[in-house]
């Protein structure tokens, strides 16, 4: 398993943006306590990544200094990874609290409106934000929203599992069909004028320039039959960046097979000395597939893993529930596929998997949803995950407990946040709560 947690950094003073000086000071305090010797600095000299080569654990900032990411080295045992998290997180939270800031477990940074939407000062993140901001060149509404900086305030909980040639396609198909049920359990990014999108991250990705080619993000609209189908699908996804001699190049998204066939491409790069973007010509080559950046909910990676990317960051006390959920079900892919193929609670009403994900990720559900039957089906899925975790043999089953409670009440952190706001609670109270460990975890830490 691999686990990555993107945690919003927020200023505890209402209406105030994250103070990047406070972020840097808290990071230095953490690194004085934990030995993460492999470091990387941005163009301003600010540290944005530090890694422990022994464990493979890494502290980094994702896109901007408004989001702290903890990534854990590959490990068979999620309880061991969770124990390392309980070592790091209290130290980080204490360091931020002393500077009037905090971490929280939300899919949207609670200070997203106030924060400085500035990318980390390096080639990769500068290129990415420049790319997303160029959406106006490709037509207007309703295709694109007007938040091209969404990567600087939306946060995910990502997990990876090893796959082999025989399991790649069944795993993608089964988990693609699971996505509507995941939206019910794991939504935590309410967005929109009335909070109508409980998984607002879905909309932010698909209606950005990443979604210009719908094959680049979200769900698979087809059932894959073979590895050849998957390769064909990947070849149809668009590439929009490459690297030459240390320069990040950004260009109009083009499907991979068309890209390889082109003689030259017009690109842009950032000229740091002149502080401007310049145009250049370059020749594509097949090795540029390393720069292909699809953002599928079930993403085949160059590590030989399937990365699950659809989950919003969770309240910190529940942070390892999604990884455990995926790990258990990955042990039972055939049974999961059979369970979903026979499903009539969501399926069988004229909607496909992608449409159902959109329906279940909203605040209001259509009348065909039988709520007691959905509760029963969610428990069947969780039972299957628990069975897979037992098969793994690391005692990871207790990590599923938060999802059991949500399934019984048909709720999720997004709905709970909106209900609490409607009752008059301040976003600061909720962010504090979503950033807190459970009493058991505090004792363990």
């Amino acid at each position: 398993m691999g686990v990555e947690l993107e945690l919003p950094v927020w200023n505890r003073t209402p209406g105030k943006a994250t103070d990047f000086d406070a972020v840097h000071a808290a990071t230095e305090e953490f690194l004085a306590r934990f030995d993460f010797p492999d470091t990387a600095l941005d163009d301003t000299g600010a540290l944005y990544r530090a890694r422990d080569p022994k464990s493979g654990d890494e502290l980094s900032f994702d896109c901007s200094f408004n989001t702290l990411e903890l990534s854990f080295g590959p490990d068979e045992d999620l309880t061991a990874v969770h124990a390392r998290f309980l070592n790091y997180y209290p130290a980080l939270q204490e360091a931020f609290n002393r500077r009037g800031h905090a971490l929280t477990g939300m899919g949207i940074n609670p200070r997203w409106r106030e924060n400085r939407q500035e990318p980390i000062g390096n080639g990769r993140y500068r290129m990415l934000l420049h790319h997303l901001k160029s959406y106006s060149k490709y037509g207007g509404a309703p295709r694109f929203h007007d938040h091209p900086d969404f990567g600087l305030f939306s946060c995910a909980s990502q997990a990876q599992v090893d796959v082999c040639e025989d399991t790649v396609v069944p795993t993608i198909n089964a988990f693609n069909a699971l996505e509507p049920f995941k939206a019910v359990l794991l939504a935590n990014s309410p967005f929109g004028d009335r909070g109508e999108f409980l998984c607002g991250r879905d909309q932010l990705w698909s209606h950005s320039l990443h979604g210009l080619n719908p094959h680049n993000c979200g769900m698979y609209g087809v059932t894959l039959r073979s590895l050849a189908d998957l390769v064909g699908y990947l070849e149809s996804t668009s590439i929009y960046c490459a690297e030459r001699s240390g320069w990040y190049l950004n260009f109009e998204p083009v499907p991979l097979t068309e890209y390889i066939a082109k003689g030259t491409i017009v690109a842009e790069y950032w000229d740091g000395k002149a502080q401007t973007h310049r145009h250049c010509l370059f020749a594509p080559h097949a090795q540029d597939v390393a720069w292909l950046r699809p953002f599928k909910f079930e993403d085949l990676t160059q590590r030989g893993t399937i990365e699950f990317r659809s989950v919003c960051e969770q309240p910190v006390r529940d942070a390892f529930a999604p990884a455990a959920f995926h790990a258990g079900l990955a042990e039972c892919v055939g049974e999961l596929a059979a369970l979903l193929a026979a499903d009539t609670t969501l399926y069988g009403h004229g909607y496909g998997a992608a449409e159902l994900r959109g329906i279940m990720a909203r605040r209001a559900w259509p009348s065909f949803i039988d709520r007691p039957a959905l509760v029963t089906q969610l428990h069947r899925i969780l039972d299957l995950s628990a069975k897979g975790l037992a098969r793994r043999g690391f005692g990871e089953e207790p990590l599923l407990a938060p999802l059991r409670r949500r399934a019984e009440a048909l709720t999720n952190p997004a709905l709970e946040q909106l209900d609490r706001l409607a009752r008059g609670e301040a976003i600061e109270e909720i962010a504090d709560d979503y950033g807190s460990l459970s009493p058991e975890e505090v004792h363990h830490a």
Side-chain angles (χ1 to χ4, degrees), residues 30 33-34 81-92 444-445:
F30 176 84
R33 181 170 172 180
F34 297 95
V81 181
H82 185 223
R84 301 207 302 274
F85 170 72
L86 294 180
N87 207 18
Y88 303 144
Y89 183 78
L92 282 166
H444 186 280

Side-chain angles (χ1 to χ4, degrees), residues 21-34 45-47 95 99:
D21 288 337
V23 172
H24 301 324
T27 304
E28 290 178 10
E29 182 177 327
F30 176 84
L31 295 178
R33 181 170 172 180
F34 297 95
L47 186 145
R99 293 163 177 86

Side-chain angles (χ1 to χ4, degrees), residues 91-326:
L92 282 166
Q93 192 70 301
E94 288 168 14
F96 277 104
N97 281 337
R98 275 195 288 275
R99 293 163 177 86
H101 286 64
L103 300 172
T104 190
M106 291 177 162
I108 301 290
N109 192 305
R111 294 280 187 257
W112 73 273
R113 292 179 180 86
E114 295 90 349
N115 279 345
R116 293 158 51 191
Q117 302 303 340
E118 301 172 10
I120 289 168
N122 67 10
R124 176 190 172 195
Y125 289 123
R126 190 182 289 112
M127 175 277 296
L128 177 58
L129 189 58
H130 177 69
H131 170 70
L132 291 170
K133 284 185 172 182
S134 69
Y135 69 94
S136 60
K137 294 192 279 187
Y138 302 91
R143 173 181 286 179
F144 301 115
H145 57 67
D146 59 356
H147 300 291
D149 53 2
F150 70 93
L152 283 62
F153 62 79
S154 67
C155 297
S157 171
Q158 295 166 183
Q160 299 189 42
V161 298
D162 288 329
V163 287
C164 60
E165 286 191 16
D166 292 341
T167 59
V168 171
V169 170
T171 299
I172 290 176
N173 284 335
F175 279 92
N176 192 67
L178 181 68
E179 285 297 338
F181 296 96
K182 286 169 59 178
V184 177
L185 292 173
L186 297 164
N188 193 25
S189 56
F191 207 70
D193 294 338
R194 298 173 299 280
E196 61 267 30
F197 299 112
L198 301 180
C199 291
R201 290 178 59 255
D202 290 12
Q203 303 295 318
L204 290 168
W205 282 87
S206 63
H207 292 286
S208 75
L209 194 51
H210 284 319
L212 180 67
N213 179 347
H215 279 199
N216 269 60
C217 59
M219 295 178 62
Y220 294 84
V222 296
T223 299
L224 302 171
R225 298 166 299 176
S226 64
L227 281 174
D229 270 4
L230 177 57
V231 170
Y233 196 101
L234 291 173
E235 288 176 341
S236 73
T237 59
S238 295
I239 184 170
Y240 63 87
C241 64
E243 187 265 342
R244 294 290 186 274
S245 303
W247 297 95
Y248 281 83
L249 308 179
N250 169 232
F251 44 88
E252 180 178 346
V254 56
L256 184 61
T257 47
E258 295 178 30
Y259 171 84
I260 300 287
K262 287 182 178 288
T264 57
I265 286 183
V266 178
E268 290 182 285
Y269 69 95
W270 174 254
D271 184 336
K273 290 183 180 179
Q275 293 289 293
T276 189
H277 284 91
R278 297 191 184 279
H279 288 88
C280 67
L281 290 174
F282 78 102
H285 52 67
Q287 290 84 351
D288 291 336
V289 70
W291 295 99
L292 184 65
R293 293 287 187 271
F295 298 97
K296 305 300 291 181
F297 286 171
E298 283 73 42
D299 206 357
L300 178 63
T301 77
Q302 297 176 37
R303 302 179 183 91
T305 64
I306 297 292
E307 183 171 13
F308 301 104
R309 303 177 60 95
S310 67
V311 178
C312 310
E313 185 52 78
Q314 300 293 292
V316 169
R317 58 182 167 269
D318 305 339
F320 277 74
F325 183 62
H326 289 100

Side-chain angles (χ1 to χ4, degrees), residues 410-437:
L410 286 184
T411 192
N412 53 55
L415 279 171
E416 291 171 4
Q417 179 186 153
L418 292 170
D419 288 346
R420 292 169 70 171
L421 289 170
R423 294 197 301 268
E425 280 194 59
I427 191 66
E428 290 81 11
E429 294 178 73
I430 302 168
D432 261 338
D433 181 35
Y434 281 24
S436 300
L437 296 170

